[in-house]
Amino acid sequence: MTPLEMVAVLAAGVAGGAINTVVGSGSLITFPTLLAVGLPPITANVSNNIGLVPGGLSGVMGYRPELKGQRERLLRLAPASVIGSLAGGLLLLTLPESSFNMIVSVLIALSCALVLIQPRLSRLLSTRPGRAHGGPWLWLGTLAAGAYGGYFGAGQGILLIGLMGIMLDEELQRINAAKNVLALLVNFTAAVLYILVADVDWLAVLLVAAGSAIGGFLGARLGRRLPAPILRGLIVCIGVAAIVKLLAQP
């Protein structure tokens, strides 16, 4: 990498870390940047995933106040994220990339729809038992989001927010805090797998990691101040932008 390319990757890491903390889909900035500086797609995806782990950690730390009282819930959902991430990581390393963009675009569109209709559905489901932890359907949804995150990851935050917003009786900011923990587990699990068996560009990892750690901290400071309607609108706007970017790729 040239010095200019290194600066570009570092800056993309800052932006990606911030967006991941506030919403998700930060990989749609960092991953194309790594491709642009010459990394092969699989190496770029693997290096990007590892590099975003520090950003996930700083984002979780920034949302600590909103995590109070969610320990039991997260302990129930954490195994689903870990198992799903391992499955998704193995799929990335074994399956062809055909139809990838279309599948991911459909999932992000579904996630945006869930986020938009979440308030109304939550009211309709307010008398359903199991709203403290979401029941088996949220566990299975978290498993699927983990598999998606282990495979690529851009949009897994939007998917998690949509699922938890419908299945849980919680404020959006607390849901976002829980999302950050689960997404961190997914990225960390996949990162361990990739370090063991995949081709990693460690310079790219270092640059994305440094940038995402800064971005995660900044994103937490911004995201915690956003009113729920604005945060919901931001989630949908980023989701739509992600779909457009994915479908525009050859």
Side-chain angles (χ1 to χ4, degrees):
M1 270 187 237
T2 67
L4 183 60
E5 289 174 337
M6 292 171 64
V7 171
V9 172
L10 180 66
V14 173
I19 291 173
N20 272 346
T21 300
V22 178
V23 181
S25 296
S27 288
L28 290 171
I29 293 177
T30 51
F31 177 67
T33 302
L34 293 179
L35 291 179
V37 301
L39 270 66
I42 298 298
T43 302
N45 192 25
V46 165
S47 303
N48 174 65
N49 184 288
I50 300 171
L52 287 175
V53 170
L57 180 59
S58 63
V60 168
M61 297 298 291
Y63 264 88
R64 280 179 298 175
E66 285 76 18
L67 287 171
K68 291 180 180 179
Q70 299 202 68
R71 181 174 181 273
E72 184 179 351
R73 173 186 297 155
L74 290 171
L75 287 175
R76 291 168 66 102
L77 295 175
S81 290
V82 172
I83 295 169
S85 179
L86 285 173
L90 291 172
L91 287 174
L92 174 70
L93 299 174
T94 56
L95 293 180
E97 297 182 33
S98 58
S99 302
F100 172 78
N101 287 355
M102 181 59 69
I103 293 171
V104 171
S105 298
V106 170
L107 287 174
I108 295 177
L110 175 61
S111 303
C112 290
L114 289 176
V115 170
L116 280 176
I117 65 176
Q118 177 259 319
R120 178 169 295 182
L121 281 180
S122 291
R123 288 193 294 270
L124 291 175
L125 296 172
S126 60
T127 59
R128 186 175 58 83
R131 293 268 287 173
H133 301 295
W137 289 112
L138 179 57
W139 198 94
L140 291 173
T142 303
L143 177 72
Y148 171 45
Y151 184 69
F152 181 58
Q156 70 161 320
I158 298 174
L159 181 57
L160 283 168
I161 289 173
L163 287 169
M164 289 191 289
I166 289 172
M167 299 292 181
L168 299 175
D169 185 15
E170 271 291 6
E171 297 176 354
L172 187 58
Q173 290 288 6
R174 284 174 57 80
I175 287 172
N176 197 34
K179 174 268 293 181
N180 286 335
V181 173
L182 297 175
L184 173 61
L185 285 173
V186 170
N187 284 349
F188 179 78
T189 302
V192 172
L193 174 65
Y194 295 153
I195 289 170
L196 292 175
V197 301
D199 182 23
V200 178
D201 187 308
W202 287 106
L203 176 58
V205 169
L206 179 62
L207 292 169
V208 173
S212 70
I214 298 170
F217 173 76
L218 297 175
R221 291 179 64 87
L222 170 65
R224 293 180 63 233
R225 289 170 168 78
L226 292 177
I230 294 178
L231 180 57
R232 200 180 309 280
L234 181 61
I235 291 168
V236 173
C237 288
I238 291 178
V240 171
I243 293 170
V244 172
K245 180 178 285 288
L246 284 167
L247 294 180
Q249 292 179 356

